[in-house]
Amino acid sequence: MSVTIIDVAKKAGVSPSTVSRVISGHPRISSATIRKVKDIMLEMGYHPNVMAKSLVSKTTQTIGILLPRSAEELFLNLFFSEIIRGVVTQSTRSGYDLMMTTGTSESEEVEAVTRLVKGRRVDGVILLYSRKSDPVISFLQEMKFPFVLVGRSEDFPDVLSVDNNNVLAAYDATRHLIAQGHKRVGFVSGPPNLIVSKDRMEGYVQAMREAGLEIQSEWIVEGEFLQESGYRAMSFFMNLPERPTALVVIDDIVAFGVLRGLTELGYKVPNDLSLVGFNNISMSELSSPPISSIDIGIYQLGYTASQTLIKAVKGETIHHNHIIIPHRLMARESSLLSILN
């Protein structure tokens, strides 16, 4: 027979209502009583009925995560595993579980989030990316349901968000290449409907114009956050009559594709083409040559998004709707011509 709350109360010498208050985190229970009840719960193998608890407290102690639409992107790009690690670490420390969902289209994403919200399966939602026009954000705003966006929204500028200054980050990456003596700098972008692609493009353009350098349209290629996109971009660039001598690449995984294609054709990095990527994933430093990358604090993005959402769920004061995680350039061999001379 399973252990009940009455069994725990009897052994602890307290009332069942006191045990219930300990489970729900009631502030008026002494620390000594909390420790005693929790020790007995552990000793007796008692686990609170989450469903019953949620009916009483009207909370689930669970937060939802909307994953990117492409399963390939999710499992092949280490950005997502690292940001989820940050979310998991903070939510676990706060006593919250996670529920993940996704969809293969915008309508499926809205349906998935609708099930979470209207089914009362989660207390809040984290969106792991931001698009120029996003019906999921529109739905969550309409429902007045707690959510945090990793990125920023142009249509809803006041939503809770955790982001980098992606314009400045791309500006810094481009300026680094210009400082190495490059005058023909290209840009490998991501999907044009993503805000991060737009912002990093803007930073690249700002740096080039400020330096008085020409920007040719064929030096800018759009793709996905996948290695194959970098591989295809490299093939295109190397066949141009006047090709770039350096590239700002929107993601390290994409930069690996560029590097692979160059190696297959016998080109050397940085002698023939210099690279700077984004995200500073662990493999960037281990590649050959090591890839220069903008460290955007991926883990901290996830940790802070979870922390901010839980504060919103609890009704705590949040002083800033937009939290910016700082970035830094990790300059390595892929862009440092000076170390070869």
Side-chain angles (χ1 to χ4, degrees), residues 85-97:
R85 186 173 74 88
V87 172
V88 168
T89 299
Q90 203 288 324
S91 60
T92 300
R93 288 176 181 172
S94 300
Y96 280 73
D97 295 321

Side-chain angles (χ1 to χ4, degrees), residues 67-105:
L67 300 173
R69 191 175 303 163
S70 168
E72 184 180 13
E73 184 178 323
L74 172 64
F75 293 109
L76 294 182
N77 195 322
L78 294 180
F79 169 86
F80 292 105
S81 60
E82 183 67 2
I83 199 169
I84 290 172
R85 186 173 74 88
V87 172
V88 168
T89 299
Q90 203 288 324
S91 60
T92 300
R93 288 176 181 172
S94 300
Y96 280 73
D97 295 321
L98 297 180
M99 183 176 291
M100 300 183 187
T101 189
T102 189
T104 59
S105 64

Side-chain angles (χ1 to χ4, degrees), residues 180-182 270-272 274 333-341:
Q180 293 294 308
H182 294 283
N271 306 65
D272 298 308
S274 293
E333 188 179 331
S334 74
S335 66
L336 294 175
L337 285 166
S338 57
I339 68 174
L340 301 177
N341 299 326

Side-chain angles (χ1 to χ4, degrees), residues 174-293:
T174 309
R175 287 293 303 175
H176 168 70
L177 291 170
I178 293 170
Q180 293 294 308
H182 294 283
K183 299 185 183 300
R184 302 198 304 272
V185 182
F187 183 68
V188 182
S189 186
N193 67 320
L194 296 186
I195 296 293
V196 66
S197 300
K198 174 181 179 293
D199 286 352
R200 289 179 183 172
M201 175 81 76
E202 183 180 335
Y204 158 76
V205 170
Q206 280 185 12
M208 292 290 283
R209 287 178 175 168
E210 183 182 283
L213 297 177
E214 180 183 7
I215 302 173
Q216 294 191 21
S217 59
E218 60 265 31
W219 293 351
I220 299 172
V221 174
E222 296 173 343
E224 301 295 326
F225 286 90
L226 297 170
Q227 190 178 139
E228 282 305 309
S229 285
Y231 187 86
R232 289 193 298 268
M234 181 284 312
S235 301
F236 173 78
F237 285 133
M238 302 313 284
N239 283 309
L240 291 175
E242 186 179 38
R243 62 175 176 81
T245 61
L247 293 177
V248 176
V249 185
I250 198 162
D251 184 277
D252 286 347
I253 293 294
V254 182
F256 293 154
V258 173
L259 186 60
R260 176 167 63 92
L262 289 168
T263 302
E264 287 181 7
L265 291 175
Y267 290 105
K268 299 291 184 182
V269 173
N271 306 65
D272 298 308
L273 188 74
S274 293
L275 299 175
V276 176
F278 282 83
N279 297 346
N280 193 37
I281 61 175
S282 57
M283 291 191 298
S284 300
E285 191 173 5
L286 301 176
S287 67
S288 182
I291 293 178
S292 297
S293 185

